[in-house]
Amino acid sequence: MHINWPFTSHMVLQRNQTIHFSGCSNNNYVKIQVDEDIYETNVVNNKWSIDLYFDEVGGPFSIRVMDEEETVVLDDLYVGDVFLAGGQSNMEFKVKEGLPSAFECKGKVRYLHVPRYVYEKEGKLYPKEERKNWQVLDDQSYLELSAVAYYFCQHLPSDIPIGIIDLNKGGTSASCWLSEDVLKSDPVLKRTYIDGYYEDVHTTLEEQYQATCNYNQKLNTYLSMFNNFKQQHPEMTVAQMKDQVGHTPWPPAKGHFDFRRPSGLYEYMLKSVFNYPISAVLWYQGEEDSLRPKHYKRLMVAMIACWRRAYGREVPFFILQLPEYDGMNIWHFGSIRIIQWQLAQDVKDVYLVPLLGCGEKDNVHPVDKRIAGYRLAESVKHDYYHMSGSIRPKLVSHAYDGHTLTITFDQPLKETTLQVNARTSKGMMKVSLKARNEQLICTVDDLVSITYGDEDYFTDYIVGINDIPISPFTITI
């Protein structure tokens, strides 16, 4: 008898959602015992499935799965809320890679690492990686968890068991994370992300495979050297070590075996957990797409809709807005920030977590993820749990009388005056934007549009009463 992954011991099951608990057996029926409740189902074509539902948080408890030959026990189980920590390298960034931090987490937290499978060959998934059980978050395992997710868990209510599905991969466009059918159904997305990727791939599958093997060998040699250096210099951060030994070999070989190919990680990573209900998605991504941000909003709208169809519900998305970074006019973080703000304005149940003040000028992977995790938790506490919290200031309305623009927020702002980009009937110019009480005031004639926070790197920004920045935004009159 076999129980399908990711149903394992130590898991947190999502409350208030139907759970399709499933597996395989060579027998005629399977029974499941949860406390005193017993469920039974027939085995059809060696497969079985039983729907479970839990409406209250709780645990620990066990689930006994029995057929006519054996009994399997899953123990140390909890019912609570499960969050999917998705995106690219800044969500992948582990606790052990950042600032030294002693373990501190009061609640019951478990996490599941999703193997970063990229392709299938001869019936096997590669790169080779074991599908592990859910892990108990403790003073040893926390070092392997996403740093943003770990600090996020620190600030959640301790009376609710929390599960984290750690599903992310560095260097990925959002186009890696939605189905090929969705990309192909939109002519713009197909042209940009499918045709645009494969237009210079002219080799055979075998040649692509060999090129991927060569790249992986080069990468493994580098990682071995890096890890040896790391053992010799435990006091250094990852950024400091890379200054000494060089950066990760890049880019990988393009083609069918490349993790960056459109829809690849959707097929081999994301689809493996769609049968496991979640409460919300925590999404930290956009760096890779800042290289060509023109269609990023269209891509994200399609991705969110794709995921929601797969989960069968309007799953909330909490988007961590890119922090400041000097992209040297190659990485357009400012453009992505504005698009992320527009997503939160236009798409239902998409919430924005501003990360201004969390970036580093010359490091695309800021080593301190504590504030990012804290702001994410505050947003989830307010927008998902409907608790009071240090939420970001939200733009409520704006009015322009031909001379003065007044932008109103839902909380007082700390008094600040900044220069921002504006377009008037005479062209582009810098204008003063002054924060006073709950409003931003700008005095300029013939205003067409105004944008705050669209520079890739800047250190002066406007904050609310709890020192959380307002989101970059754009307003067209």
Side-chain angles (χ1 to χ4, degrees), residues 28 67 87 163 170 189 207 211 218 228 230 235 261 267 286 328 334 368 417 420-421 434 446:
N28 296 317
D67 66 9
L189 297 183
E207 289 171 332
K218 182 179 179 182
N228 288 335
K230 182 178 180 179
E235 76 284 356
R261 75 186 188 280
E267 289 296 325
M328 299 171 290
D368 188 352
T417 300
V420 301
N421 294 320
K434 183 175 182 179
D446 302 319

Side-chain angles (χ1 to χ4, degrees), residues 420-458:
V420 301
N421 294 320
R423 181 183 296 277
T424 71
S425 58
K426 298 178 180 178
M428 294 297 298
M429 65 175 61
K430 289 286 187 179
V431 296
S432 293
L433 190 64
K434 183 175 182 179
R436 184 177 61 196
N437 299 322
E438 292 89 6
Q439 296 178 329
L440 296 178
I441 307 295
C442 176
T443 302
V444 59
D445 293 333
D446 302 319
L447 183 65
V448 175
S449 65
I450 188 169
T451 304
Y452 160 78
D454 59 334
E455 298 92 348
D456 295 333
Y457 180 80
F458 62 102

Side-chain angles (χ1 to χ4, degrees), residues 294-433:
K294 181 178 180 180
H295 300 300
Y296 185 63
K297 182 181 179 183
R298 192 184 192 105
L299 179 63
M300 282 299 299
V301 169
M303 192 201 84
I304 292 169
C306 176
W307 286 33
R308 287 175 170 175
R309 283 193 298 272
Y311 277 112
R313 56 183 290 266
E314 295 293 298
V315 180
F317 273 71
F318 290 84
I319 294 180
L320 290 97
Q321 194 177 41
L322 294 189
E324 64 275 22
Y325 172 66
D326 185 356
M328 299 171 290
N329 292 321
I330 300 173
W331 306 64
H332 303 290
F333 275 36
S335 298
I336 294 293
R337 275 187 228 112
I338 297 298
I339 293 170
Q340 290 171 327
W341 173 77
Q342 291 171 337
L343 282 169
Q345 298 291 112
D346 298 342
V347 183
K348 182 182 178 183
D349 294 330
V350 172
Y351 306 100
L352 197 62
V353 183
L355 294 189
L356 291 182
C358 298
E360 297 178 24
K361 182 177 182 180
D362 300 314
N363 185 7
V364 73
H365 303 123
V367 296
D368 188 352
K369 306 295 189 187
R370 293 174 297 180
I371 295 177
Y374 163 73
R375 290 181 186 172
L376 176 59
E378 291 301 306
S379 181
V380 168
K381 285 195 292 186
H382 181 267
D383 293 307
Y384 183 77
Y385 289 115
H386 306 295
M387 302 166 58
S388 60
S390 301
I391 59 170
R392 68 175 178 91
K394 295 180 181 178
L395 195 159
V396 175
S397 64
H398 69 274
Y400 182 61
D401 61 7
H403 179 66
T404 300
L405 173 67
T406 303
I407 307 169
T408 303
F409 286 77
D410 64 351
Q411 63 177 265
L413 308 174
K414 293 193 174 180
E415 290 196 7
T416 313
T417 300
L418 298 178
Q419 296 292 303
V420 301
N421 294 320
R423 181 183 296 277
T424 71
S425 58
K426 298 178 180 178
M428 294 297 298
M429 65 175 61
K430 289 286 187 179
V431 296
S432 293
L433 190 64

